[in-house]
Amino acid sequence: MTNPRTGQCLFIDGDDTLWENNIYFEHAIEEFIDLVRHESVTRAELRHVLDEIERANCKVHGYGARSFVRSLHDCYEHVHGREAPDDHMRAIAALGERILHQAPVLIPGVHETLSYLSERHRLVLLTKGDHEEQAAKVERSRLGSLFEEVVIVPEKTAETYVSVVEKVDVPTARTWMIGNSPRSDILPALAAGLGAVYVPHPDTWVLEKDAVPEPSDRVLHVERFADLAEHF
């Protein structure tokens, strides 16, 4: 029997869908909390402060390691009432540099599954964040050749998806967004009329979490990236 989803256009997320990403930020945050914490602030309280600062900064400065470092500095100043001293500034900068130069670690099954899907469907890598940082990840991952196009956007909204659909000239009815983020990959894609495939990741960034719609004819849930081969 022919798979009814043959010949689709698949938009596929990068961070925490194709390669590990947020775990490196989480490790850096734990080190930052060790650095900045004092007796009157718990780890949970400090993390909440940082989350709120990141939420505000991302709207203005975007995503990625550079924006993250800005948020760390802002958080330090908020907690201590002053700028970080030189040694702490250097330590915070080092956290960002480590993330920037982290070699991409592919999630198991990604390369094999993409190779299979690329022979059956149009594949577009659609990732958000700082253009330079994301382009470097794509290059270092060596996955770019498996995609018809690589699209890097500052944010993923319903309008973003409509724009990319028009750019690659595909009908929304035969287009799916595949990713781990309910807030960026699933909900806005559905709002734009695309199908969506939720691929959970245990370390999805807290600011990317949201309720995931129940499975339907336009919403698929898979346990791991490799399972896409069973549906497409």
Side-chain angles (χ1 to χ4, degrees), residues 180-229:
N180 70 294
S181 168
R183 191 181 75 82
S184 293
D185 299 325
I186 307 304
L187 298 177
L190 292 172
L194 283 66
V197 185
Y198 176 54
V199 188
H201 189 290
D203 293 301
T204 293
W205 187 26
V206 64
L207 299 189
E208 291 291 345
K209 293 181 178 180
D210 207 328
V212 182
E214 292 296 317
S216 67
D217 60 340
R218 294 297 280 168
V219 179
L220 298 177
H221 293 201
V222 297
E223 291 186 7
R224 55 202 180 101
F225 192 85
D227 293 342
L228 292 168

Side-chain angles (χ1 to χ4, degrees), residues 38-177:
H38 56 68
E39 293 180 357
S40 64
V41 183
T42 67
R43 297 185 77 86
E45 289 169 340
L46 209 158
R47 177 59 192 261
H48 177 72
V49 169
L50 178 59
D51 287 344
E52 292 307 304
I53 288 173
E54 284 202 273
R55 192 188 306 276
N57 277 349
C58 286
K59 293 179 180 178
V60 179
H61 304 291
Y63 301 89
R66 295 181 180 89
S67 178
F68 175 66
V69 167
R70 179 189 294 269
S71 294
L72 295 184
H73 282 294
D74 290 348
C75 184
Y76 192 106
E77 187 170 350
H78 178 90
V79 171
H80 287 277
R82 57 179 172 81
E83 287 188 349
D86 288 347
D87 58 337
H88 286 180
M89 280 195 172
R90 288 192 293 272
I92 291 171
L95 295 176
E97 286 298 313
R98 189 175 71 197
I99 292 171
L100 275 174
H101 296 99
Q102 171 67 45
V105 176
L106 297 187
I107 289 171
V110 158
H111 194 281
E112 300 88 340
T113 305
L114 287 177
S115 297
Y116 171 80
L117 294 174
S118 67
E119 296 180 355
R120 300 165 56 83
H121 308 280
R122 297 179 63 186
L123 303 188
V124 175
L125 202 170
L126 176 55
T127 185
K128 78 172 185 180
D130 178 89
H131 192 280
E132 181 181 348
E133 290 183 32
Q134 293 304 100
K137 290 180 189 177
V138 174
E139 181 177 1
R140 293 198 301 264
S141 74
R142 300 183 179 180
L143 295 177
S145 62
L146 295 171
F147 291 89
E148 176 181 311
E149 191 159 357
V150 174
V151 179
I152 300 170
V153 295
E155 185 60 277
K156 288 177 178 174
T157 64
E159 292 74 21
T160 302
Y161 287 104
V162 170
S163 176
V164 177
V165 163
E166 292 176 352
K167 178 181 180 180
V168 300
D169 192 23
V170 294
T172 56
R174 298 184 66 79
T175 304
W176 298 75
M177 180 63 204

